[in-house]
Amino acid sequence: MVAGMAILALACVVLGLAPFVVVPRLGRVLTGLGGLPDTHAAFTLSLSLVTSNNASSMSPTLLALGLLVLLGLVPLVMLVLRVNRRLRVSDSWGCGRVGQTPRMEYTATAFAEPLRRVFAELYRPTKELSIDFHPDSKYFVQSIEYRSEITPWFEKALYGPLLRFVRLLAKLTRRLQSGSVHIYLLYVSLALVVLLLIARWS
């Protein structure tokens, strides 16, 4: 399996870096098929792909070599500029807050809130907010309780009935596996009779 993937990866590299070797041969194979013109001469066999009317040209091989040279120049430039390559450890950016706690993290509810608003008409989410105030003053809140629930319509209308049907079918199928050799021979005999009847009347 690894060898097959390696061959396909090598073919991608050859098609990308050396199309001047592959394209003319593919052109000769496709010539005349479906009214296609003579395409084997549309590209010259060189490092560049040039159309027959010299309208455009491109050299993937030279582009790849240029990228390799550019990547090789990066360490050289870093060495000339004396870039400090030592590992530096620091705290991650915390939106200007000094003391980060797990309670300040985004929850799954925060990420799903835009989707809940878009599909609110479909899922019909229910919200319940309970606020308990201090008995002496309504400006002091003792506790806040918020509940939100979404009715899983797809689970109820689609996945639930389908899962129950599959379970019922699995129970019926499991009864066929009784473990008795005599029952299995009966199955084979019945299947043979059915096949003979089909062959007789077909």
Side-chain angles (χ1 to χ4, degrees), residues 2-186:
V2 177
M5 292 186 291
I7 293 173
L8 293 176
L10 181 61
C12 292
V13 173
V14 172
L15 288 173
L17 299 181
F20 55 87
V21 178
V22 182
V23 171
R25 289 170 172 78
L26 291 178
R28 285 194 292 269
V29 173
L30 298 175
T31 299
L33 294 179
L36 293 176
D38 187 4
T39 57
H40 75 276
F43 299 96
T44 59
L45 186 59
S46 62
L47 290 178
S48 299
L49 291 176
V50 183
T51 58
S52 57
N53 55 1
N54 293 325
S56 61
S57 64
M58 183 182 68
S59 178
T61 307
L62 294 180
L63 288 176
L65 292 176
L67 289 176
L68 291 177
V69 172
L70 182 62
L71 292 177
L73 289 176
V74 172
L76 180 61
V77 173
M78 294 178 63
L79 181 62
V80 172
L81 298 179
R82 297 181 180 180
V83 177
N84 187 5
R85 293 181 293 176
R86 291 183 302 175
L87 180 63
R88 290 171 289 181
V89 180
S90 62
D91 295 332
S92 59
W93 172 247
C95 299
R97 291 189 291 268
V98 179
Q100 288 286 105
T101 63
R103 295 186 62 184
M104 300 177 183
E105 297 176 355
Y106 283 103
T107 62
T109 304
F111 285 105
E113 182 63 24
L115 293 177
R116 292 180 58 182
R117 292 185 179 183
V118 172
F119 297 101
E121 296 297 328
L122 177 62
Y123 288 103
R124 300 287 182 175
T126 59
K127 299 179 182 180
E128 182 180 351
L129 180 62
S130 301
I131 303 176
D132 292 335
F133 296 97
H134 196 276
D136 296 334
S137 176
K138 66 177 181 179
Y139 297 104
F140 293 94
V141 179
Q142 286 185 331
S143 64
I144 299 177
E145 185 178 358
Y146 175 78
R147 293 181 180 180
S148 178
E149 184 179 356
I150 296 178
T151 304
W153 295 110
F154 286 98
E155 285 78 1
K156 288 185 176 181
L158 178 62
Y159 299 122
L162 181 61
L163 183 59
R164 288 192 293 269
F165 174 74
V166 171
R167 287 179 177 176
L168 178 61
L169 187 62
K171 289 182 180 179
L172 295 177
T173 306
R174 187 172 58 182
R175 295 178 181 177
L176 298 177
Q177 300 292 334
S178 61
S180 175
V181 179
H182 302 286
I183 297 297
Y184 296 154
L185 291 176
L186 177 62

